[in-house]
């Protein structure tokens, strides 16, 4: 418990910016759900294009996590090989034996990795710039239009913090760690 308080105190600014940005994103999601009558979650991963949190590529990642590459919408179309297997395999492993649905596990992973991304980006920017510029960097990152997808099941939720961690390790001249992190990041995208 003490460690959690220390982490919150150290990263309270980037965490607060991240949490506020996700509040706005989920308010936008709620607006779409209520005004467009689009379900938030899917009854089945196989119907993923009909619900909000599994639209576009997120649905493909969830289908691969649930069914592997064999049963994606009735076959293995060539376009599915564009989705690297590391993220779906990670989701599958994390949801193994869990009573939670795969969609819930992926949301939880996205949320936690958003906090990790905020802490890493804050660390990277703070080593070079002052606190005000660090706040601006976090705000610019989380309020970019594309970051709404980081609240969904996209491999970027893992690839981005790994890429930032690679840059942090590079800045500290920890070459082997930077190489390992960069290689692992590349396996997700």
């Amino acid at each position: 418990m003490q460690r959690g308080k220390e982490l919150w105190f150290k990263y309270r600014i980037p965490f607060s910016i991240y949490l506020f940005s996700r509040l706005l994103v989920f308010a936008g999601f709620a607006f779409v759900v209520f005004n467009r009558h689009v379900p938030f979650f899917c009854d089945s991963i196989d119907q993923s294009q009909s619900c909000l949190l599994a639209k576009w590529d997120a649905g493909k990642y969830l289908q691969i996590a649930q069914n592997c590459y064999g049963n994606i919408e009735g076959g293995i179309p060539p376009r599915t090989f564009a989705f690297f297997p590391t993220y779906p395999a990670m989701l599958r492993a994390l949801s193994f034996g869990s009573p939670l649905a795969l969609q819930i596990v992926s949301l939880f992973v996205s949320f936690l990795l958003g906090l990790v991304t905020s802490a890493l980006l804050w660390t990277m920017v703070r080593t070079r710039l002052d606190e005000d510029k660090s706040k601006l960097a976090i705000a610019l990152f989380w309020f970019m239009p594309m970051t709404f997808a980081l609240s969904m099941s996209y491999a970027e939720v893992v690839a981005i913090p790994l890429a930032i961690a690679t840059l942090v390790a590079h800045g500290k001249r920890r070459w082997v760690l930077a190489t390992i992190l960069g290689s692992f990041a590349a396996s997700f995208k």
Side-chain angles (χ1 to χ4, degrees):
M1 188 66 162
Q2 184 65 25
R3 177 84 172 130
K5 287 180 182 179
E6 290 172 11
L7 278 175
W8 173 256
F9 185 75
K10 182 176 181 179
Y11 296 111
R12 68 187 179 283
I13 294 170
F15 287 172
S16 298
I17 293 169
Y18 168 70
L19 293 172
F20 182 67
S21 75
R22 296 308 90 184
L23 181 68
L24 292 178
V25 165
F26 279 102
F29 284 165
F31 178 80
V32 171
V33 166
F34 292 118
N35 288 318
R36 301 282 178 132
H37 306 291
V38 176
F40 199 66
F41 295 108
C42 304
D43 293 333
S44 166
I45 297 294
D46 296 327
Q47 302 167 345
S48 62
Q49 294 305 309
S50 65
C51 63
L52 186 63
L53 288 182
K55 284 277 189 199
W56 311 296
D57 292 352
K60 296 289 187 211
Y61 281 118
L62 289 170
Q63 286 176 351
I64 293 168
Q66 183 173 355
N67 305 320
C68 299
Y69 285 94
N71 293 324
I72 301 172
E73 294 179 3
I76 308 176
R79 69 181 184 276
T80 60
F81 289 111
F83 300 96
F84 285 23
T86 314
Y87 179 65
M90 182 188 81
L91 287 179
R92 188 177 182 116
L94 291 173
S95 66
F96 182 75
S98 170
L100 299 175
L102 190 60
Q103 296 173 61
I104 303 293
V105 170
S106 72
L107 280 178
F108 189 66
V109 167
S110 296
F111 178 76
L112 288 180
L113 288 174
L115 290 171
V116 170
T117 300
S118 296
L120 287 168
L121 185 59
W122 179 262
T123 300
M124 184 178 76
V125 176
R126 284 288 288 151
T127 59
R128 303 205 187 309
L129 302 172
D130 63 13
E131 186 173 311
D132 289 338
K133 290 185 176 82
S134 300
K135 289 178 192 175
L136 182 62
I138 298 290
L140 287 174
F141 180 82
W142 284 116
F143 288 98
M144 284 190 307
M146 73 89 178
T147 59
F148 80 92
L150 298 179
S151 294
M152 299 166 67
S153 295
Y154 279 83
E156 285 82 355
V157 301
V158 182
I160 290 172
L162 283 171
I164 295 170
T166 301
L167 294 173
V168 169
H170 180 271
K172 294 181 178 181
R173 298 182 176 273
R174 298 185 65 191
W175 310 119
V176 174
L177 179 61
T179 302
I180 293 169
L181 289 169
S183 299
F184 198 51
S187 74
F188 282 89
K189 276 314 275 173

